[in-house]
Amino acid sequence: VAAAMAAERAPAMATCTAPVNIAVIKYWGKRDTDLILPINSSLSVTLHQDQLKTTTTAAASRDFTEDRLWLNGKEADVGHPRVQACLREVRRLARKRRGGGEDAAALSLSYKIHIASENNFPTAAGLASSAAGYACLVSALARLYGLEEELSEVARRGSGSACRSMFGGFVQWQRGERPDGTDSLALQVAPETHWPELRVLVLVVSGEKKPVGSTAGMQTSVETSLLLKHRAEVVVPERLAQMMRHIRERDFEGFGQLAMRDSNQFHATCLDTFPPIFYLTDLSRHIIALAHRYNAHHGHTKVAYTFDAGPNAVIFALADTVAEFVEVVRRSFPPAPNGDQFVRGLPVGSAALSPELVAAVVTEPVPGAVQYILHTKPGPGPQLVDDPSQHLLGADGLP
């Protein structure tokens, strides 16, 4: 009897994983900071969760006395306005779905909730941890409360880019027109299976936190940069249509060139912000120059860089280019001999470089500048974890 009672009192629990996404047409600037509505649409590639993911467990129980949150094993502030916005929205949808009546079998919405979340990559290192984190939070909560509807709008309330992590493959975040934000949501442009040869290399140059957080940075840009206004109103709408066409046609030349131009323009708007914001470092610029020299040597676009609000480079390439370019990076930024694994993630073959290529592309090596390279590819959206042994919270509701 005691065991049966204990089982009945065990918390209801759901665990999900969610991916990181990398924008190729950048989001920078909100028209509504409370609802997180953007000044322009954006387009991203969802990365595979085998290499980069957030795992989140959400649990609810009549025995919990307060809402609690743990991030990477440490207790964090569950009262954070954006966490609260997601909780509030999910509970509101659950209430609406039940038509106001309390279903005896359904989880009580009055129960307090415990949430534990873990990344398999460094947080706030310019690897879009907030996108994966909030997408994962919303997926786990939705699962806990039995919701199945459009959830990208809820994830957007946590972090704008999180709405794009609610889908796999290639994803557009539509700016929307309505002041209430109900049409500002994510749509899948193409699934991850659409372009099987596409590969992604993340060149991690620093696991440090960025100098100016994205939230503060982008609002200063909105207030002070005329270039950003021009970008949002004139440049992005045209680029978005072009980028969707390049993806549909699997045109790497067009995709790569446009990704690089859009990254450069985003960082130009940061420089046009007053006071200016610097996310790219000397090392970032070194990687940019390397990519251009490499492409020039080959006579077409074989690699394409994009940088978010931080110094880490994300390089797109087709699978047949990866081994050679990784070797070029290794020669340009020789890793410390005693260091960790330099190439992580998907396996990378070995490549011999011609003397002509080395002479043209590898100029002055900078030892130890790139910490490691993560090799990954486009992947699916949030996944439910069925195996109870994978829950991040125990039967007592604690990590």
Side-chain angles (χ1 to χ4, degrees), residues 209-275:
K209 274 203 171 213
K210 45 202 175 191
V212 181
S214 307
T215 304
M218 69 175 71
Q219 284 327 99
T220 310
S221 297
V222 168
E223 288 155 20
T224 62
S225 172
L226 280 171
L227 180 57
L228 181 62
K229 180 176 160 61
H230 173 73
R231 165 179 169 72
E233 291 172 5
V234 181
V235 182
V236 168
E238 191 179 330
R239 281 188 175 173
L240 199 76
Q242 286 173 317
M243 190 59 97
M244 292 209 281
R245 191 176 71 245
H246 296 321
I247 289 167
R248 254 198 312 276
E249 297 172 0
R250 294 185 281 268
D251 169 8
F252 188 80
E253 183 74 32
F255 172 86
Q257 283 212 24
L258 192 51
M260 292 188 282
R261 286 177 177 272
D262 204 69
S263 175
N264 293 343
Q265 188 180 79
F266 155 54
H267 289 282
T269 66
C270 291
L271 196 55
D272 189 51
T273 299
F274 199 84

Short mmCIF file of all heavy atoms in Angstrom, two decimals, residues 209-275:
data_model
loop_
_atom_site.label_atom_id
_atom_site.label_comp_id
_atom_site.label_asym_id
_atom_site.label_seq_id
_atom_site.Cartn_x
_atom_site.Cartn_y
_atom_site.Cartn_z
N LYS A 209 31.88 34.49 -22.06
CA LYS A 209 30.62 35.22 -22.28
C LYS A 209 30.91 36.43 -23.16
O LYS A 209 31.99 37.00 -23.13
CB LYS A 209 30.06 35.71 -20.94
CG LYS A 209 29.20 34.66 -20.26
CD LYS A 209 28.22 35.30 -19.27
CE LYS A 209 27.24 34.26 -18.78
NZ LYS A 209 25.92 34.76 -18.50
N LYS A 210 29.90 36.86 -23.94
CA LYS A 210 30.11 38.00 -24.84
C LYS A 210 30.12 39.32 -24.08
O LYS A 210 29.55 39.42 -22.99
CB LYS A 210 29.07 37.99 -25.95
CG LYS A 210 27.65 37.73 -25.51
CD LYS A 210 26.84 37.23 -26.69
CE LYS A 210 25.45 36.84 -26.27
NZ LYS A 210 24.72 36.13 -27.29
N PRO A 211 30.77 40.34 -24.66
CA PRO A 211 30.93 41.63 -23.97
C PRO A 211 29.60 42.35 -23.75
O PRO A 211 29.37 42.93 -22.71
CB PRO A 211 31.82 42.44 -24.92
CG PRO A 211 31.65 41.82 -26.27
CD PRO A 211 31.37 40.36 -26.01
N VAL A 212 28.72 42.33 -24.77
CA VAL A 212 27.41 42.96 -24.66
C VAL A 212 26.36 41.91 -25.00
O VAL A 212 26.39 41.35 -26.09
CB VAL A 212 27.27 44.14 -25.67
CG1 VAL A 212 25.89 44.81 -25.52
CG2 VAL A 212 28.39 45.15 -25.49
N GLY A 213 25.47 41.61 -24.07
CA GLY A 213 24.43 40.62 -24.34
C GLY A 213 23.57 41.05 -25.52
O GLY A 213 23.41 42.23 -25.79
N SER A 214 22.99 40.06 -26.21
CA SER A 214 22.18 40.36 -27.39
C SER A 214 20.99 41.23 -27.06
O SER A 214 20.65 42.15 -27.81
CB SER A 214 21.67 39.06 -28.02
OG SER A 214 22.73 38.19 -28.25
N THR A 215 20.34 40.97 -25.93
CA THR A 215 19.11 41.69 -25.58
C THR A 215 19.36 43.19 -25.49
O THR A 215 18.66 43.99 -26.11
CB THR A 215 18.55 41.17 -24.25
OG1 THR A 215 18.35 39.76 -24.39
CG2 THR A 215 17.22 41.82 -23.92
N ALA A 216 20.39 43.57 -24.73
CA ALA A 216 20.72 45.00 -24.58
C ALA A 216 21.27 45.54 -25.89
O ALA A 216 20.88 46.62 -26.34
CB ALA A 216 21.74 45.18 -23.46
N GLY A 217 22.16 44.77 -26.52
CA GLY A 217 22.82 45.22 -27.74
C GLY A 217 21.84 45.58 -28.84
O GLY A 217 21.92 46.64 -29.45
N MET A 218 20.88 44.68 -29.08
CA MET A 218 19.99 44.93 -30.21
C MET A 218 19.08 46.13 -29.98
O MET A 218 18.75 46.83 -30.94
CB MET A 218 19.23 43.68 -30.63
CG MET A 218 18.18 43.17 -29.71
SD MET A 218 17.29 41.77 -30.46
CE MET A 218 18.50 40.47 -30.43
N GLN A 219 18.71 46.41 -28.74
CA GLN A 219 17.84 47.58 -28.53
C GLN A 219 18.60 48.88 -28.71
O GLN A 219 18.06 49.86 -29.22
CB GLN A 219 17.10 47.49 -27.20
CG GLN A 219 15.92 46.50 -27.25
CD GLN A 219 15.20 46.41 -28.60
OE1 GLN A 219 15.44 45.50 -29.39
NE2 GLN A 219 14.31 47.36 -28.88
N THR A 220 19.89 48.89 -28.31
CA THR A 220 20.72 50.07 -28.57
C THR A 220 20.82 50.28 -30.09
O THR A 220 20.76 51.41 -30.58
CB THR A 220 22.13 49.90 -27.97
OG1 THR A 220 21.99 49.48 -26.62
CG2 THR A 220 22.91 51.20 -28.00
N SER A 221 20.95 49.19 -30.83
CA SER A 221 21.02 49.28 -32.29
C SER A 221 19.72 49.85 -32.87
O SER A 221 19.75 50.72 -33.73
CB SER A 221 21.28 47.90 -32.91
OG SER A 221 22.54 47.39 -32.50
N VAL A 222 18.59 49.36 -32.38
CA VAL A 222 17.29 49.84 -32.86
C VAL A 222 17.17 51.35 -32.62
O VAL A 222 16.69 52.10 -33.47
CB VAL A 222 16.12 49.09 -32.18
CG1 VAL A 222 14.78 49.78 -32.45
CG2 VAL A 222 16.07 47.65 -32.64
N GLU A 223 17.66 51.79 -31.46
CA GLU A 223 17.53 53.21 -31.09
C GLU A 223 18.50 54.11 -31.84
O GLU A 223 18.23 55.29 -32.03
CB GLU A 223 17.74 53.38 -29.58
CG GLU A 223 16.57 52.84 -28.75
CD GLU A 223 16.97 52.43 -27.34
OE1 GLU A 223 18.04 52.89 -26.85
OE2 GLU A 223 16.23 51.64 -26.72
N THR A 224 19.67 53.58 -32.25
CA THR A 224 20.71 54.48 -32.76
C THR A 224 21.19 54.22 -34.19
O THR A 224 21.82 55.09 -34.78
CB THR A 224 21.95 54.43 -31.84
OG1 THR A 224 22.48 53.09 -31.86
CG2 THR A 224 21.62 54.83 -30.42
N SER A 225 20.93 53.04 -34.76
CA SER A 225 21.50 52.72 -36.07
C SER A 225 20.52 52.93 -37.22
O SER A 225 19.52 52.21 -37.35
CB SER A 225 22.01 51.28 -36.10
OG SER A 225 22.38 50.92 -37.42
N LEU A 226 20.83 53.91 -38.08
CA LEU A 226 20.02 54.11 -39.28
C LEU A 226 20.27 53.00 -40.28
O LEU A 226 19.39 52.66 -41.07
CB LEU A 226 20.36 55.47 -39.92
CG LEU A 226 19.69 56.67 -39.24
CD1 LEU A 226 20.26 57.97 -39.79
CD2 LEU A 226 18.18 56.63 -39.43
N LEU A 227 21.46 52.43 -40.23
CA LEU A 227 21.77 51.31 -41.12
C LEU A 227 20.87 50.11 -40.80
O LEU A 227 20.38 49.43 -41.70
CB LEU A 227 23.26 50.92 -40.99
CG LEU A 227 23.76 49.77 -41.85
CD1 LEU A 227 23.51 50.03 -43.32
CD2 LEU A 227 25.24 49.52 -41.60
N LEU A 228 20.63 49.89 -39.50
CA LEU A 228 19.76 48.77 -39.10
C LEU A 228 18.34 48.97 -39.62
O LEU A 228 17.70 48.03 -40.10
CB LEU A 228 19.74 48.62 -37.57
CG LEU A 228 18.87 47.46 -37.07
CD1 LEU A 228 19.37 46.11 -37.58
CD2 LEU A 228 18.83 47.44 -35.53
N LYS A 229 17.87 50.23 -39.56
CA LYS A 229 16.52 50.54 -40.06
C LYS A 229 16.43 50.23 -41.56
O LYS A 229 15.48 49.58 -42.02
CB LYS A 229 16.23 52.02 -39.77
CG LYS A 229 14.86 52.51 -40.23
CD LYS A 229 14.69 53.97 -39.78
CE LYS A 229 13.61 54.70 -40.59
NZ LYS A 229 12.28 54.08 -40.44
N HIS A 230 17.43 50.65 -42.31
CA HIS A 230 17.48 50.38 -43.75
C HIS A 230 17.53 48.87 -44.00
O HIS A 230 16.84 48.35 -44.88
CB HIS A 230 18.69 51.07 -44.37
CG HIS A 230 18.91 50.72 -45.82
ND1 HIS A 230 18.11 51.20 -46.82
CD2 HIS A 230 19.83 49.92 -46.41
CE1 HIS A 230 18.52 50.71 -47.98
NE2 HIS A 230 19.57 49.93 -47.77
N ARG A 231 18.35 48.18 -43.22
CA ARG A 231 18.49 46.73 -43.35
C ARG A 231 17.12 46.04 -43.18
O ARG A 231 16.71 45.24 -44.01
CB ARG A 231 19.48 46.21 -42.31
CG ARG A 231 19.43 44.71 -42.11
CD ARG A 231 20.44 44.22 -41.07
NE ARG A 231 20.17 42.82 -40.73
CZ ARG A 231 20.41 41.80 -41.53
NH1 ARG A 231 20.92 41.99 -42.72
NH2 ARG A 231 20.12 40.56 -41.15
N ALA A 232 16.45 46.38 -42.08
CA ALA A 232 15.19 45.71 -41.75
C ALA A 232 14.10 46.00 -42.79
O ALA A 232 13.34 45.10 -43.17
CB ALA A 232 14.72 46.15 -40.36
N GLU A 233 14.04 47.25 -43.23
CA GLU A 233 12.94 47.64 -44.12
C GLU A 233 13.19 47.32 -45.58
O GLU A 233 12.27 46.95 -46.31
CB GLU A 233 12.68 49.15 -43.97
CG GLU A 233 12.10 49.51 -42.60
CD GLU A 233 12.03 51.01 -42.36
OE1 GLU A 233 12.35 51.80 -43.28
OE2 GLU A 233 11.67 51.40 -41.23
N VAL A 234 14.44 47.45 -46.03
CA VAL A 234 14.73 47.35 -47.46
C VAL A 234 15.51 46.09 -47.83
O VAL A 234 15.16 45.40 -48.79
CB VAL A 234 15.54 48.60 -47.93
CG1 VAL A 234 15.84 48.52 -49.42
CG2 VAL A 234 14.77 49.88 -47.59
N VAL A 235 16.57 45.79 -47.08
CA VAL A 235 17.49 44.73 -47.49
C VAL A 235 16.95 43.33 -47.19
O VAL A 235 16.96 42.45 -48.05
CB VAL A 235 18.87 44.92 -46.82
CG1 VAL A 235 19.84 43.83 -47.29
CG2 VAL A 235 19.43 46.31 -47.13
N VAL A 236 16.50 43.12 -45.96
CA VAL A 236 16.13 41.77 -45.53
C VAL A 236 14.98 41.14 -46.34
O VAL A 236 15.09 39.98 -46.72
CB VAL A 236 15.86 41.71 -44.01
CG1 VAL A 236 15.19 40.39 -43.62
CG2 VAL A 236 17.18 41.86 -43.24
N PRO A 237 13.89 41.88 -46.61
CA PRO A 237 12.79 41.22 -47.34
C PRO A 237 13.26 40.58 -48.65
O PRO A 237 12.88 39.46 -48.97
CB PRO A 237 11.81 42.37 -47.59
CG PRO A 237 12.06 43.32 -46.45
CD PRO A 237 13.55 43.26 -46.21
N GLU A 238 14.12 41.28 -49.39
CA GLU A 238 14.63 40.76 -50.65
C GLU A 238 15.57 39.57 -50.41
O GLU A 238 15.50 38.55 -51.10
CB GLU A 238 15.37 41.88 -51.39
CG GLU A 238 15.71 41.53 -52.82
CD GLU A 238 16.41 42.68 -53.54
OE1 GLU A 238 16.15 43.86 -53.19
OE2 GLU A 238 17.22 42.39 -54.44
N ARG A 239 16.44 39.70 -49.42
CA ARG A 239 17.40 38.63 -49.13
C ARG A 239 16.70 37.36 -48.66
O ARG A 239 17.13 36.25 -48.97
CB ARG A 239 18.40 39.09 -48.06
CG ARG A 239 19.47 39.97 -48.62
CD ARG A 239 20.56 40.26 -47.60
NE ARG A 239 21.62 41.02 -48.25
CZ ARG A 239 22.66 41.54 -47.62
NH1 ARG A 239 22.75 41.40 -46.30
NH2 ARG A 239 23.58 42.20 -48.28
N LEU A 240 15.63 37.52 -47.91
CA LEU A 240 14.90 36.37 -47.39
C LEU A 240 14.36 35.53 -48.54
O LEU A 240 14.51 34.30 -48.56
CB LEU A 240 13.76 36.86 -46.50
CG LEU A 240 13.19 35.85 -45.53
CD1 LEU A 240 14.14 35.67 -44.36
CD2 LEU A 240 11.83 36.29 -45.04
N ALA A 241 13.77 36.21 -49.52
CA ALA A 241 13.22 35.51 -50.69
C ALA A 241 14.34 34.81 -51.47
O ALA A 241 14.19 33.66 -51.90
CB ALA A 241 12.48 36.50 -51.58
N GLN A 242 15.48 35.50 -51.63
CA GLN A 242 16.62 34.91 -52.34
C GLN A 242 17.13 33.69 -51.60
O GLN A 242 17.40 32.65 -52.21
CB GLN A 242 17.77 35.92 -52.43
CG GLN A 242 17.57 37.04 -53.43
CD GLN A 242 18.68 38.07 -53.33
OE1 GLN A 242 19.09 38.47 -52.23
NE2 GLN A 242 19.19 38.52 -54.47
N MET A 243 17.27 33.81 -50.29
CA MET A 243 17.84 32.71 -49.49
C MET A 243 16.93 31.48 -49.56
O MET A 243 17.41 30.35 -49.66
CB MET A 243 18.06 33.16 -48.04
CG MET A 243 18.85 32.16 -47.22
SD MET A 243 20.51 31.80 -47.88
CE MET A 243 21.52 32.91 -46.89
N MET A 244 15.62 31.70 -49.51
CA MET A 244 14.70 30.56 -49.59
C MET A 244 14.84 29.87 -50.95
O MET A 244 14.79 28.64 -51.03
CB MET A 244 13.26 31.02 -49.34
CG MET A 244 13.10 31.47 -47.90
SD MET A 244 11.46 31.26 -47.23
CE MET A 244 10.63 32.62 -47.89
N ARG A 245 15.06 30.66 -52.00
CA ARG A 245 15.24 30.08 -53.32
C ARG A 245 16.54 29.25 -53.38
O ARG A 245 16.55 28.13 -53.87
CB ARG A 245 15.26 31.18 -54.39
CG ARG A 245 15.17 30.63 -55.81
CD ARG A 245 15.09 31.71 -56.87
NE ARG A 245 16.35 32.42 -57.02
CZ ARG A 245 16.54 33.70 -56.74
NH1 ARG A 245 15.53 34.44 -56.29
NH2 ARG A 245 17.73 34.26 -56.90
N HIS A 246 17.63 29.81 -52.84
CA HIS A 246 18.92 29.09 -52.83
C HIS A 246 18.78 27.76 -52.08
O HIS A 246 19.34 26.75 -52.49
CB HIS A 246 20.02 29.92 -52.18
CG HIS A 246 20.34 31.18 -52.93
ND1 HIS A 246 20.38 31.24 -54.31
CD2 HIS A 246 20.64 32.44 -52.49
CE1 HIS A 246 20.70 32.49 -54.68
NE2 HIS A 246 20.86 33.21 -53.60
N ILE A 247 18.07 27.77 -50.97
CA ILE A 247 17.88 26.55 -50.19
C ILE A 247 17.03 25.55 -50.97
O ILE A 247 17.41 24.38 -51.09
CB ILE A 247 17.24 26.86 -48.81
CG1 ILE A 247 18.25 27.59 -47.92
CG2 ILE A 247 16.75 25.58 -48.13
CD1 ILE A 247 17.64 28.23 -46.68
N ARG A 248 15.93 26.03 -51.53
CA ARG A 248 15.07 25.15 -52.32
C ARG A 248 15.86 24.48 -53.44
O ARG A 248 15.70 23.29 -53.71
CB ARG A 248 13.90 25.95 -52.91
CG ARG A 248 12.57 25.67 -52.23
CD ARG A 248 11.37 26.11 -53.06
NE ARG A 248 11.51 27.47 -53.59
CZ ARG A 248 11.21 28.58 -52.91
NH1 ARG A 248 10.78 28.49 -51.66
NH2 ARG A 248 11.34 29.75 -53.47
N GLU A 249 16.73 25.26 -54.11
CA GLU A 249 17.49 24.75 -55.26
C GLU A 249 18.81 24.09 -54.84
O GLU A 249 19.58 23.65 -55.70
CB GLU A 249 17.75 25.89 -56.25
CG GLU A 249 16.46 26.46 -56.84
CD GLU A 249 16.67 27.72 -57.67
OE1 GLU A 249 17.84 28.18 -57.81
OE2 GLU A 249 15.67 28.26 -58.19
N ARG A 250 19.09 24.06 -53.54
CA ARG A 250 20.36 23.53 -53.02
C ARG A 250 21.54 24.15 -53.77
O ARG A 250 22.49 23.47 -54.16
CB ARG A 250 20.39 21.99 -53.14
CG ARG A 250 19.37 21.30 -52.24
CD ARG A 250 19.49 19.80 -52.27
NE ARG A 250 18.85 19.23 -53.45
CZ ARG A 250 17.58 18.81 -53.49
NH1 ARG A 250 16.84 18.85 -52.40
NH2 ARG A 250 17.07 18.33 -54.60
N ASP A 251 21.46 25.48 -53.93
CA ASP A 251 22.49 26.24 -54.64
C ASP A 251 23.50 26.77 -53.62
O ASP A 251 23.28 27.80 -53.00
CB ASP A 251 21.80 27.39 -55.41
CG ASP A 251 22.78 28.41 -55.97
OD1 ASP A 251 24.01 28.18 -55.92
OD2 ASP A 251 22.30 29.45 -56.47
N PHE A 252 24.61 26.03 -53.44
CA PHE A 252 25.55 26.42 -52.38
C PHE A 252 26.23 27.75 -52.68
O PHE A 252 26.48 28.55 -51.78
CB PHE A 252 26.60 25.34 -52.12
CG PHE A 252 27.44 25.67 -50.90
CD1 PHE A 252 26.96 25.41 -49.62
CD2 PHE A 252 28.67 26.30 -51.03
CE1 PHE A 252 27.69 25.77 -48.50
CE2 PHE A 252 29.42 26.65 -49.90
CZ PHE A 252 28.92 26.39 -48.64
N GLU A 253 26.54 27.99 -53.93
CA GLU A 253 27.18 29.25 -54.33
C GLU A 253 26.33 30.44 -53.86
O GLU A 253 26.82 31.35 -53.19
CB GLU A 253 27.37 29.28 -55.85
CG GLU A 253 28.10 30.50 -56.39
CD GLU A 253 29.58 30.50 -56.11
OE1 GLU A 253 30.18 29.41 -56.06
OE2 GLU A 253 30.15 31.60 -55.93
N GLY A 254 25.05 30.40 -54.20
CA GLY A 254 24.15 31.49 -53.83
C GLY A 254 23.92 31.56 -52.32
O GLY A 254 23.97 32.63 -51.71
N PHE A 255 23.69 30.38 -51.72
CA PHE A 255 23.47 30.28 -50.28
C PHE A 255 24.66 30.84 -49.50
O PHE A 255 24.51 31.65 -48.59
CB PHE A 255 23.23 28.80 -49.93
CG PHE A 255 23.17 28.50 -48.45
CD1 PHE A 255 21.98 28.62 -47.75
CD2 PHE A 255 24.30 28.06 -47.77
CE1 PHE A 255 21.92 28.32 -46.39
CE2 PHE A 255 24.25 27.76 -46.42
CZ PHE A 255 23.05 27.90 -45.72
N GLY A 256 25.85 30.39 -49.90
CA GLY A 256 27.06 30.78 -49.18
C GLY A 256 27.37 32.26 -49.28
O GLY A 256 27.66 32.92 -48.28
N GLN A 257 27.30 32.78 -50.49
CA GLN A 257 27.58 34.21 -50.68
C GLN A 257 26.62 35.07 -49.88
O GLN A 257 27.02 36.03 -49.23
CB GLN A 257 27.49 34.58 -52.16
CG GLN A 257 28.71 34.12 -52.94
CD GLN A 257 29.03 35.05 -54.10
OE1 GLN A 257 28.67 36.23 -54.08
NE2 GLN A 257 29.72 34.52 -55.08
N LEU A 258 25.34 34.72 -49.93
CA LEU A 258 24.34 35.53 -49.24
C LEU A 258 24.50 35.42 -47.71
O LEU A 258 24.35 36.41 -46.99
CB LEU A 258 22.93 35.11 -49.67
CG LEU A 258 21.79 36.04 -49.27
CD1 LEU A 258 22.08 37.49 -49.67
CD2 LEU A 258 20.49 35.58 -49.91
N ALA A 259 24.83 34.22 -47.22
CA ALA A 259 25.06 34.05 -45.78
C ALA A 259 26.21 34.96 -45.31
O ALA A 259 26.10 35.62 -44.27
CB ALA A 259 25.37 32.60 -45.45
N MET A 260 27.30 34.99 -46.08
CA MET A 260 28.44 35.83 -45.70
C MET A 260 28.08 37.31 -45.74
O MET A 260 28.40 38.06 -44.82
CB MET A 260 29.63 35.53 -46.62
CG MET A 260 30.20 34.14 -46.40
SD MET A 260 31.76 33.82 -47.28
CE MET A 260 31.16 33.51 -48.95
N ARG A 261 27.40 37.72 -46.81
CA ARG A 261 27.01 39.13 -46.92
C ARG A 261 26.08 39.54 -45.77
O ARG A 261 26.19 40.63 -45.23
CB ARG A 261 26.29 39.39 -48.25
CG ARG A 261 27.22 39.40 -49.44
CD ARG A 261 26.41 39.58 -50.72
NE ARG A 261 27.27 39.66 -51.89
CZ ARG A 261 27.79 40.80 -52.34
NH1 ARG A 261 27.55 41.95 -51.72
NH2 ARG A 261 28.56 40.78 -53.42
N ASP A 262 25.16 38.65 -45.42
CA ASP A 262 24.21 39.02 -44.37
C ASP A 262 24.88 39.08 -43.00
O ASP A 262 24.58 39.94 -42.19
CB ASP A 262 23.00 38.09 -44.33
CG ASP A 262 21.81 38.80 -43.70
OD1 ASP A 262 21.27 39.72 -44.34
OD2 ASP A 262 21.45 38.48 -42.55
N SER A 263 25.81 38.15 -42.77
CA SER A 263 26.58 38.20 -41.53
C SER A 263 27.37 39.51 -41.45
O SER A 263 27.35 40.21 -40.43
CB SER A 263 27.54 37.01 -41.46
OG SER A 263 28.38 37.10 -40.33
N ASN A 264 28.03 39.86 -42.54
CA ASN A 264 28.82 41.09 -42.56
C ASN A 264 27.95 42.31 -42.34
O ASN A 264 28.33 43.24 -41.61
CB ASN A 264 29.59 41.21 -43.88
CG ASN A 264 30.67 40.15 -44.02
OD1 ASN A 264 31.06 39.51 -43.03
ND2 ASN A 264 31.13 39.92 -45.24
N GLN A 265 26.75 42.31 -42.94
CA GLN A 265 25.89 43.48 -42.73
C GLN A 265 25.37 43.57 -41.29
O GLN A 265 25.29 44.65 -40.72
CB GLN A 265 24.70 43.48 -43.69
CG GLN A 265 23.95 44.80 -43.57
CD GLN A 265 22.77 44.88 -44.49
OE1 GLN A 265 21.72 44.31 -44.22
NE2 GLN A 265 22.93 45.58 -45.59
N PHE A 266 25.06 42.42 -40.70
CA PHE A 266 24.65 42.42 -39.29
C PHE A 266 25.74 43.04 -38.43
O PHE A 266 25.49 43.90 -37.58
CB PHE A 266 24.31 40.99 -38.84
CG PHE A 266 24.46 40.76 -37.37
CD1 PHE A 266 23.81 41.57 -36.44
CD2 PHE A 266 25.26 39.74 -36.89
CE1 PHE A 266 23.96 41.37 -35.07
CE2 PHE A 266 25.41 39.54 -35.52
CZ PHE A 266 24.76 40.36 -34.62
N HIS A 267 27.00 42.62 -38.66
CA HIS A 267 28.10 43.18 -37.85
C HIS A 267 28.37 44.64 -38.18
O HIS A 267 28.82 45.40 -37.31
CB HIS A 267 29.33 42.29 -37.94
CG HIS A 267 29.13 41.00 -37.20
ND1 HIS A 267 29.24 40.92 -35.82
CD2 HIS A 267 28.73 39.78 -37.61
CE1 HIS A 267 28.93 39.70 -35.44
NE2 HIS A 267 28.62 38.98 -36.50
N ALA A 268 28.04 45.05 -39.41
CA ALA A 268 28.14 46.47 -39.76
C ALA A 268 27.11 47.28 -38.97
O ALA A 268 27.39 48.39 -38.52
CB ALA A 268 27.93 46.66 -41.26
N THR A 269 25.91 46.72 -38.76
CA THR A 269 24.90 47.45 -37.98
C THR A 269 25.34 47.54 -36.51
O THR A 269 25.02 48.51 -35.84
CB THR A 269 23.49 46.81 -38.05
OG1 THR A 269 23.52 45.53 -37.42
CG2 THR A 269 23.00 46.69 -39.47
N CYS A 270 26.09 46.57 -36.05
CA CYS A 270 26.63 46.64 -34.67
C CYS A 270 27.64 47.78 -34.57
O CYS A 270 27.67 48.54 -33.60
CB CYS A 270 27.28 45.32 -34.28
SG CYS A 270 26.09 43.98 -34.07
N LEU A 271 28.44 47.92 -35.61
CA LEU A 271 29.45 48.99 -35.65
C LEU A 271 28.79 50.35 -35.82
O LEU A 271 29.30 51.37 -35.37
CB LEU A 271 30.40 48.70 -36.83
CG LEU A 271 31.73 49.42 -36.88
CD1 LEU A 271 32.52 49.18 -35.61
CD2 LEU A 271 32.52 48.93 -38.09
N ASP A 272 27.61 50.35 -36.48
CA ASP A 272 26.85 51.58 -36.72
C ASP A 272 26.02 51.98 -35.50
O ASP A 272 25.44 53.06 -35.46
CB ASP A 272 25.93 51.37 -37.95
CG ASP A 272 25.28 52.67 -38.42
OD1 ASP A 272 26.00 53.66 -38.61
OD2 ASP A 272 24.04 52.68 -38.59
N THR A 273 25.94 51.07 -34.53
CA THR A 273 25.25 51.36 -33.27
C THR A 273 26.09 52.37 -32.49
O THR A 273 27.32 52.42 -32.64
CB THR A 273 25.09 50.04 -32.48
OG1 THR A 273 24.29 49.15 -33.27
CG2 THR A 273 24.43 50.25 -31.12
N PHE A 274 25.46 53.20 -31.68
CA PHE A 274 26.20 54.21 -30.93
C PHE A 274 25.84 54.17 -29.46
O PHE A 274 24.68 54.34 -29.12
CB PHE A 274 25.90 55.60 -31.52
CG PHE A 274 26.94 56.62 -31.14
CD1 PHE A 274 28.11 56.73 -31.88
CD2 PHE A 274 26.75 57.44 -30.04
CE1 PHE A 274 29.08 57.66 -31.53
CE2 PHE A 274 27.71 58.36 -29.68
CZ PHE A 274 28.88 58.48 -30.43
N PRO A 275 26.81 53.91 -28.55
CA PRO A 275 28.20 53.56 -28.87
C PRO A 275 28.30 52.21 -29.60
O PRO A 275 27.41 51.36 -29.44
CB PRO A 275 28.87 53.49 -27.50
CG PRO A 275 27.81 53.56 -26.48
CD PRO A 275 26.53 53.95 -27.12
#
